[in-house]
Amino acid sequence: MEFTFRHEQDKIMRLLAIHLPVMDLTASVIWYTEYLELSLLKQTNSSAELAVLENGITVHPTLVLTRTESSHRLNYEKDGRLRSMVMMHASNLEGIRDKMIHAGVNVTLSHADQEDDGCGRFFEATDPSGNIIQIQANDGESPADHERVEAIFNLEIPVSDVHKSARFYTDVLGFQLIREPDDQLAIVKTGPFYKIRFGYLDVQEFGFFLFRHERSTALHFKNNAGQIRECLVLQANDTAALHEHLTSKGHIIMETEGKTDSGQMSFQIIDPDGNRIKIVPWEESPFKTNIIKQSVQC
């Protein structure tokens, strides 16, 4: 299959944020800050944004916990059990897992204790709302002297047609293809490699693993105000040009938000499985990086 890539002026630059549906916002914030040591950037009554910080700089994507009574979670079912869609990196994998076990957190066995579950070192942990998070490390890397997540790393997306989804993310949105699609899997990426940071040679800064699956998991949900929240928020360096390009090619745009002073806009596009994806200008961010230093109380 031949893929083409669009020019720079309207390309997707990165995944800005992942909206994660949670039932109990306070308990979820405590869980992610205490066990994974993500930094809390901002919290309201309905949502909280957390991130990995490196020398005070936010490492994207961030994780936006959004309160909802909906039962929707970012998990998918495989071989009779729920699996994670959100993947995070931690070089001290065993240290984080031991910390969680001692605190009574629901975690799976490590990869070494399982059979036919893929490759690499990883385990899965379930947050207070039922979202399953996979924590992984690179084979052979030395563990850090801390017990925290170092990056929100990848997203596994179950899709009905791998080739069609790969073409959407590459030809339509301009992602880079780093694994040629077959009937079961394709991998696309949005940014530079983490070669220097983690020693990975063939893993992207942030990537989507597009897995063939009979039953998809929607990448959007309703919050308690009845508003649709897109799980994926992408940033483009020229959303006006991207919007014009997509509409001229007949791609479905759900709605367009008001333009900024510079003429940029935010809008939604629909992927081949009906998922809503939000695209915002590079200049726009849902929260400013303002770390909340006080502890969160129940």
Side-chain angles (χ1 to χ4, degrees):
M1 173 184 282
E2 181 180 353
F3 287 84
T4 59
F5 299 96
R6 294 180 293 103
H7 46 84
E8 286 283 322
Q9 75 171 30
D10 57 357
K11 77 177 244 183
I12 297 296
M13 302 297 292
R14 68 182 176 190
L15 177 65
L16 176 68
I18 302 172
H19 281 260
L20 197 67
V22 299
M23 184 76 71
D24 188 326
L25 183 61
T26 299
S28 296
V29 168
I30 293 172
W31 193 87
Y32 283 95
T33 55
E34 181 174 343
Y35 299 125
L36 303 185
E37 297 189 25
L38 297 181
S39 295
L40 180 60
L41 305 184
K42 186 172 183 179
Q43 183 172 358
T44 67
N45 290 331
S46 59
S47 65
E49 186 179 38
L50 303 102
V52 173
L53 295 187
E54 188 173 283
N55 298 321
I57 304 299
T58 300
V59 180
H60 288 87
T62 62
L63 193 66
V64 182
L65 308 178
T66 303
R67 191 195 304 272
T68 177
E69 297 298 326
S70 168
S71 60
H72 183 75
R73 298 293 178 262
L74 277 191
N75 304 322
Y76 70 99
E77 186 175 330
K78 181 180 179 181
D79 298 331
R81 74 177 182 89
L82 291 177
R83 305 294 181 100
S84 60
M85 292 174 64
V86 178
M87 305 157 71
M88 300 185 184
H89 177 274
S91 60
N92 191 357
L93 185 79
E94 287 73 21
I96 291 180
R97 184 172 180 271
D98 288 344
K99 177 173 65 174
M100 288 183 162
I101 290 174
H102 292 154
V105 177
N106 180 18
V107 301
T108 65
L109 295 173
S110 64
H111 166 73
D113 299 321
Q114 301 183 66
E115 297 180 356
D116 301 323
D117 57 359
C119 58
R121 295 164 51 221
F122 63 88
F123 71 92
E124 292 176 339
T126 304
D127 77 7
S129 295
N131 294 293
I132 302 172
I133 305 298
Q134 185 179 115
I135 315 297
Q136 59 179 226
N138 190 23
D139 283 332
E141 71 176 314
S142 300
D145 59 359
H146 55 69
E147 297 174 348
R148 63 179 174 84
V149 161
E150 295 153 333
I152 300 172
F153 201 53
N154 293 310
L155 192 70
E156 296 188 358
I157 303 177
V159 300
S160 57
D161 187 316
V162 172
H163 291 274
K164 184 181 292 186
S165 292
R167 184 169 293 281
F168 171 82
Y169 283 102
T170 54
D171 284 356
V172 176
L173 293 183
F175 283 34
Q176 297 176 49
L177 182 72
I178 64 169
R179 171 174 167 142
E180 197 69 30
D182 55 30
D183 290 338
Q184 298 300 318
L185 174 65
I187 306 176
V188 297
K189 77 183 187 77
T190 61
F193 289 86
Y194 268 176
K195 178 179 178 180
I196 295 177
R197 187 168 183 212
F198 296 127
Y200 287 137
L201 298 179
D202 299 310
V203 182
Q204 63 289 354
E205 177 181 2
F206 190 92
F208 294 163
F209 285 64
L210 308 174
F211 283 102
R212 169 76 174 88
H213 202 271
E214 294 294 336
R215 182 183 302 173
S216 64
T217 297
L219 297 179
H220 56 265
F221 60 94
K222 285 187 177 181
N223 64 13
N224 284 345
Q227 301 166 319
I228 295 292
R229 280 289 172 262
E230 308 86 353
C231 294
L232 307 183
V233 182
L234 307 176
Q235 273 186 315
N237 59 354
D238 190 340
T239 55
L242 179 58
H243 182 274
E244 181 179 357
H245 173 82
L246 294 175
T247 52
S248 70
K249 297 298 183 180
H251 296 292
I252 299 175
I253 307 295
M254 287 298 294
E255 61 183 60
T256 302
E257 298 179 12
K259 292 185 178 181
T260 65
D261 292 340
S262 63
Q264 298 301 305
M265 65 180 70
S266 299
F267 60 91
Q268 297 175 345
I269 189 171
I270 306 300
D271 80 358
D273 287 290
N275 296 304
R276 298 190 187 192
I277 299 172
K278 188 170 185 177
I279 301 175
V280 302
W282 184 257
E283 63 197 47
E284 179 183 323
S285 177
F287 295 117
K288 295 183 182 297
T289 304
N290 180 24
I291 306 172
I292 298 178
K293 295 183 179 180
Q294 68 269 23
S295 60
V296 179
Q297 302 297 327
C298 292

